[in-house]
Amino acid sequence: MNLKDKVVIITGASSGIGRATALKLAQDGAKVVISARRKEKLEELKKEISDKGGTALVVEADVTKRDDIKNLVKQTKDTFGVCDVLVNNAGIMPLSYMKNMHVDEWLKMVDVNINGVLYCLAEVLPDMVERKSGHIINISSVAGREVMPGSAVYSATKFAVRALSDGLRKELSPGHNIRITCIEPGAVETELTESITDEELMDDFKNKMGDLDFLDSDDIAKAIYYAVTQGDNVHVNELQIRPVSQG
Ligand code: NDP
C-alpha cells in the first residue's frame, strides 16, 4: 500500500515508539494525527514533520477519557475526512511486585493499556466497517506472551491487547476487509520505565536488563511501516521484534 495521503492516528506520539512511527509514516506521505497528553511535545514533533515536508495534526487527548478520544477522531474526520490507520500505541509500564500492593498503578495500567485501546477502537471501527477498509495496529509486547516476576499486571494488559487483536482479526478481516496487526516489541530504549516506583523491583530490573543492547524506537517504527505498506491482499498479523541480546 502506498502511504501517500493515508490518514493515520497515532496515540502516545509524544515520545518513544509513537513519535518514531509518526516521523517514519509522515516521511512516506501519510497524514499523521499525533496525539498524547503533552501538547508541547506534540507541537515540537509537528514542526519537525512539517520542516521535512510532511503533514501532521496535533490533538491533545488522554486515552482514559472517552470524550477526549471522541474528539480525537472527530477532529481527524473534520480535518482529513477519514481515518485509514489507527496505531494504538499509548501505554504505561509501572512494573511492581504484587506483594508490594501498588494497587493504584495496577488500575491505571488497565485503564491506559486496555480501556484506552477500547475507546479508540470504538470511535474508528464503525466507519471502517462501513467503508470495508482500514488497518488497526495494536502495540502489545513480548510481555504479552511471557510473564516475569513484577510484570503480572502489565503482562495481563498486553495479553489482553493480543487477545483483542486476535478477536478483531477473526471478526473483521474476512468480509470486512479490515487488517489488524499486533506488534510485540522486546526491550526498546524509551521513557517507558520512568513510571516504575517500586524500588525493590527497580533494583532487580536494572540488574536483569543492564547488559541488554536495547532497540531504538525507530526499529519498531520500521516494523509498523512494513505492516502498513503491504499489498492489498497481504495481512501481517503479528510481528515480534527483540534486541539480539534479549533471550
Ligand atoms: P514512552 O513512555 O516513550 O511513550 C508512551 C506514550 O504513551 C507517550 O507518548 C505518552 O504520552 C503516552 N501516554 C501515556 N499515558 C497516556 C494517556 N493516559 N493518554 C494518552 N497518552 C498516554 O514508551 P514507549 O514508546 O516505549 O511505549 C509505547 C508502547 O510500546 C506502549 O504501549 C508500551 O507498552 C509498548 N512497548 C514498549 C516497549 C519498550 O521496551 N519500550 C516494549 C514493548 C512494548 P503523554 O505522557 O504525553 O500522554
Side-chain angles (χ1 to χ4, degrees), residues 133-217:
S133 171
H135 197 155
I136 310 280
I137 307 279
N138 289 331
I139 311 298
S140 177
S141 168
V142 296
R145 294 202 165 264
E146 303 160 21
V147 188
M148 309 294 284
S151 84
V153 179
Y154 179 67
S155 285
T157 67
K158 293 302 184 179
F159 271 67
V161 170
R162 202 157 56 79
L164 278 169
S165 305
D166 243 21
L168 285 165
R169 173 171 54 79
K170 285 173 184 163
E171 285 186 33
L172 295 177
S173 293
H176 294 87
N177 193 34
I178 296 172
R179 293 187 289 176
I180 320 290
T181 302
C182 187
I183 304 281
E184 299 161 23
V188 186
E189 185 78 57
T190 68
E191 297 174 10
L192 195 66
T193 53
E194 289 177 12
S195 61
I196 299 174
T197 65
D198 184 338
E199 288 175 11
E200 184 186 1
L201 178 133
M202 199 56 192
D203 288 343
D204 296 345
F205 188 73
K206 278 183 188 155
N207 285 336
K208 187 168 175 290
M209 306 299 266
D211 290 338
L212 276 188
D213 186 11
F214 281 61
L215 297 177
D216 292 328
S217 294

Side-chain angles (χ1 to χ4, degrees), residues 106-120:
W106 303 348
L107 301 180
K108 186 75 185 167
M109 263 189 287
V110 169
D111 214 11
V112 176
N113 298 359
I114 303 180
N115 292 342
V117 169
L118 293 175
Y119 293 151
C120 292

